[in-house]
DNA sequence: AGCTTCCTTGAATCGGGTC
DNA sequence: CGACCCGATTCAAGGAAGC
């Protein structure tokens, strides 16, 4: 970070070590062993050592950020209060704290506390009077025409998305792409420079590339760096029309199509079409659709194209998945199953 | 607080001033005025002043709490990071941070940030090795037989519950009773003493009285004190049977497996086995088990055979009764029913 | 092929009493 | 303070295996 010039970066996203301070081993009720975060990089001798470390990287972040840049940090109760207090002391101005509510957290196996089911993000500007960027419309569209709230329900990173090597996870704390997707879509513009000082396996870089943002990553561990570069190499940027986000008010769909897009079930840029393929529309990053110069929600655009008094976009639009044509409602059903509380 | 003796209180619940630092007036899009927290008690000149104030009351709380007592604090992003860091510095040990997810938050009228839809609570014990109380079973029951998570969805305080005087709310930040209900049910026992150093209009006292807990409140403002006393006066304690909660096994009387054998519920010579019948062991007259040349207690032998770090013999071993296969724990339950006072 | 069942796993500060 | 023993304790998702 020290090598970067002053005021050169639009956004810093940081996922620093949490300083977990774990004790002995932990076993599940069935006797199996829990694979804990015991890496050297998460060990600090004291709160003071952790505070010094935190103050140092936050001060650098503040120097590198443009005057209208912003900072995101993610953490758990082990570290987030210290991080939050220090960034306030350094002059950052907190805009929101955001809670990532995990759809599928690890249970508390011993029944000793509440299930630790969330992590906390802090979003802060350079100072009380500083400007910052917030794509209000894109967030509202993504959230089914309701204001995006400060609590986000997202699954943890697993399945195909989780990087593995010989069947073992490459990084113990890989973050879900959907989280970064929302952060970058909410608080950066196309072409912005995003810095991640704890790059790990490069989730920030991968999502930045996909969304047409530039990225810089700092990572000490060579293994993580290699995995990150390989991963980002494979990532394809979305094209122009998919990246255009909604600018004007549209009718309110009943279910958030945007959630499917954010979640990756429907990729931005996907072409969806009516059953007879009379119209083929492109899905955009915020869940809106584009058909030539016409744009709108899945319902609104379907209605306009048909000249009908109304349209249920969920059954009108179809997509191809595994050589099969399905209504997008099928994706919603899958999503509902996956995220039901 | 200074007048209270050392180690005299079981739980502290604190809802301190949030140090909101609101700038000018806030108006809704329709021009109406938002009734914000601008009271004198919420004004602090600097972070330092707020930190000093926080350190002072937290240190008193630590002194007054019993060694196995616990602390709850609620706050927003304006103050919670400072409070959390300071309580860690004072030696409190964070057990969970809990997110109160508001079902009906105030929208962000200007569309400049995410809707501020949650507040954060911290639950902490007296120290890393300190004991604390957690009614795991009661929480699990309350949550439909799933572990209670660290994110709680509760409506804000309104309607009949909101205290009003001449149509104006008596206190600007009255907390919902459901929140205190869950806090007290989770971390106190009947008869425990609960202290609220920022009593306000007495939500803590009202719920404590209802749940059969004793309460102490500190409140500077006479108006709030009056409203609180009047409110708590009207509150009726729940009766004995309504207060009963699901108890954990820990608090049930212990039964030795030998007692079941002695009692004749499990005959010596009975063959018991794991669910998949990989191992079949014989019950001996003293309540120990034999498997070939290996012998041991229900727990010890189960542990050895599986090569597991530990084993609950009550659920691991099964027996046949009336053509049905049951865990031996079923016999213990019968025994407990038969020997109850 | 499609459905069911089983197994694995995830940023976790994860016992208590007696000798 | 350590050793030892008793015995309490898990949810959702994904992938593999079986039917």
């Amino acid at each position: 970070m020290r090598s970067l010039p002053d005021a050169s970066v639009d956004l810093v996203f940081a996922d620093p070590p949490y300083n977990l301070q774990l004790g002995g081993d932990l076993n599940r009720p069935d006797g199996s062993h829990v694979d804990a975060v015991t890496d050297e990089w998460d060990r600090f001798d004291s709160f003071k050592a952790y505070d010094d470390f935190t103050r140092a990287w936050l001060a650098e972040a503040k120097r590198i950020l443009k005057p209208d840049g912003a900072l995101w940090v993610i953490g758990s109760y082990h570290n987030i209060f210290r991080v939050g207090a220090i960034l306030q002391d350094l002059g950052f101005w907190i805009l929101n704290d955001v809670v990532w509510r995990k759809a599928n957290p690890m249970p508390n196996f011993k029944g000793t506390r509440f299930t630790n089911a969330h992590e906390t993000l802090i979003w802060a500007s350079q100072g009380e009077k500083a400007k910052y960027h917030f794509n209000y419309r894109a967030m509202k569209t993504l959230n089914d025409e309701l204001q995006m709230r400060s609590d986000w329900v997202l699954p943890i990173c697993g399945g195909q998305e989780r990087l593995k090597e010989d069947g073992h996870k490459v990084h113990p704390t890989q973050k879900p792409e959907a989280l970064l997707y929302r952060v970058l879509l909410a608080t950066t513009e196309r072409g912005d420079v995003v810095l991640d000082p704890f790059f790990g396996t490069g989730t920030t870089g991968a999502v930045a590339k996909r969304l047409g943002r530039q990225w810089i990553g700092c990572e000490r561990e060579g293994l993580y760096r290699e995995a990150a570069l390989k991963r980002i190499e494979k990532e394809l940027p979305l094209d122009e029309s998919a990246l255009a986000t909604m600018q004007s008010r549209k009718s309110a769909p009943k279910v958030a199509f945007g959630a499917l897009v954010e979640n990756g079930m429907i990729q931005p840029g996907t072409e969806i079409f009516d059953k007879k393929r009379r119209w083929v529309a492109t899905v955009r990053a915020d869940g809106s659709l584009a058909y030539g110069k016409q744009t709108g929600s899945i319902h609104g655009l379907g209605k306009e194209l048909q000249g009908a008094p109304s349209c249920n976009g969920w059954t009108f639009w179809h997509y191809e998945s595994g050589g099969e044509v399905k209504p997008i409602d099928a994706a919603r059903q899958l999503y509902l199953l996956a995220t039901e509380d």
Side-chain angles (χ1 to χ4, degrees), chain A:
Chain A
M1 290 178 80
R2 294 216 172 82
S3 67
L4 293 167
D6 293 4
S8 57
V9 157
D10 295 289
L11 192 86
V12 170
F13 179 91
D15 180 12
Y18 287 8
N19 189 22
L20 283 187
Q21 305 172 284
L22 300 178
D25 279 4
L26 179 64
N27 294 296
R28 299 187 180 80
D30 66 5
S32 64
H33 183 253
V34 175
D35 187 14
V37 178
T38 53
D39 304 71
E40 187 273 327
W41 50 253
D42 196 44
R43 283 200 283 272
F44 294 83
D45 290 336
S46 62
F47 279 138
K48 171 149 192 336
Y50 187 79
D51 291 351
D52 290 344
F53 164 80
T54 301
R55 204 171 293 108
W57 74 258
L58 277 173
E60 277 304 287
K62 193 149 202 303
R63 180 184 66 77
I64 296 166
L65 275 172
K66 295 180 185 172
D68 61 348
L71 168 81
W72 283 87
V73 199
I74 181 167
S76 67
Y77 66 85
H78 309 84
N79 71 323
I80 198 65
F81 301 111
R82 315 201 72 82
V83 171
I86 290 170
L87 68 83
Q88 284 182 314
D89 288 341
L90 288 173
F92 281 109
W93 192 254
I94 300 181
L95 298 166
N96 275 117
D97 60 337
V98 168
V99 170
W100 168 26
R101 303 170 65 209
K102 300 181 187 183
N104 48 348
M106 194 191 310
N108 181 291
F109 297 117
K110 303 291 187 194
T112 56
R113 305 179 178 187
F114 298 101
T115 305
N116 207 347
H118 74 275
E119 293 187 23
T120 302
L121 297 100
I122 298 175
W123 174 40
S125 68
Q126 280 275 38
E128 181 173 1
K129 306 289 182 193
K131 291 185 181 164
Y132 59 90
H133 297 279
F134 181 55
N135 297 324
Y136 178 76
R137 279 283 351 141
M139 284 300 102
K140 193 163 178 180
T141 306
L142 195 63
N143 194 39
D144 194 14
E145 290 303 313
L146 291 176
Q147 284 192 346
M148 184 66 81
R149 301 168 41 115
S150 59
D151 59 313
W152 303 351
V153 180
L154 299 168
I156 60 176
C157 180
Q160 293 303 311
E161 188 185 325
R162 188 91 195 198
L163 295 183
K164 301 207 172 174
E165 192 88 46
D166 310 326
H168 293 92
K169 52 188 177 190
V170 177
H171 195 286
T173 70
Q174 188 182 336
K175 294 291 174 290
E177 294 185 358
L179 187 71
L180 270 294
Y181 189 97
R182 193 174 294 185
V183 164
L184 296 186
L185 203 61
T187 58
T188 61
E189 309 295 335
R190 291 202 63 192
D192 276 3
V193 177
V194 178
L195 165 70
D196 185 336
F198 306 96
F199 204 55
T201 47
T203 306
T204 304
V207 178
K209 183 175 176 188
R210 191 184 315 159
L211 289 176
R213 275 70 169 162
Q214 302 179 73
W215 57 269
I216 305 171
C218 308
E219 178 53 52
R220 226 166 49 175
E221 307 284 332
L223 268 173
Y224 298 161
R225 283 201 303 268
E226 280 172 40
L229 288 172
K230 213 162 69 183
R231 167 191 192 179
I232 297 169
E233 182 64 34
K234 279 188 276 190
E235 193 70 44
L236 292 177
L238 297 172
D239 70 27
E240 199 79 30
S241 71
L243 275 182
T245 56
M246 206 57 156
Q247 296 302 327
S248 58
R249 179 170 297 272
K250 293 289 164 184
S251 66
K254 287 175 187 169
V255 176
F257 180 66
L260 306 188
V261 179
E262 175 179 57
N263 189 259
M265 296 189 64
I266 306 274
Q267 295 284 341
T270 301
E271 293 195 321
I272 65 177
F273 39 85
D274 66 295
K275 214 168 183 178
K276 296 185 184 168
R277 298 206 189 223
R278 282 167 299 190
W279 301 284
V280 179
T282 307
V283 176
R284 305 198 294 181
D286 60 358
S288 60
L289 302 183
Y291 176 78
K293 287 195 175 174
Q294 286 177 278
T295 60
S297 71
I298 52 171
H299 310 297
L301 186 63
K303 173 183 145 184
E304 277 186 44
L305 292 175
Q306 296 180 96
S310 69
C311 167
N312 180 353
W314 290 109
T315 52
F316 177 71
W317 296 106
H318 294 65
Y319 71 115
E320 269 193 21
S321 166
E324 232 189 309
V325 172
K326 298 175 185 172
I328 56 176
D329 191 46
R332 175 171 63 160
Q333 298 308 326
L334 288 175
Y335 179 79
L336 281 173
L337 283 175
T339 57
E340 238 170 9
D341 271 334

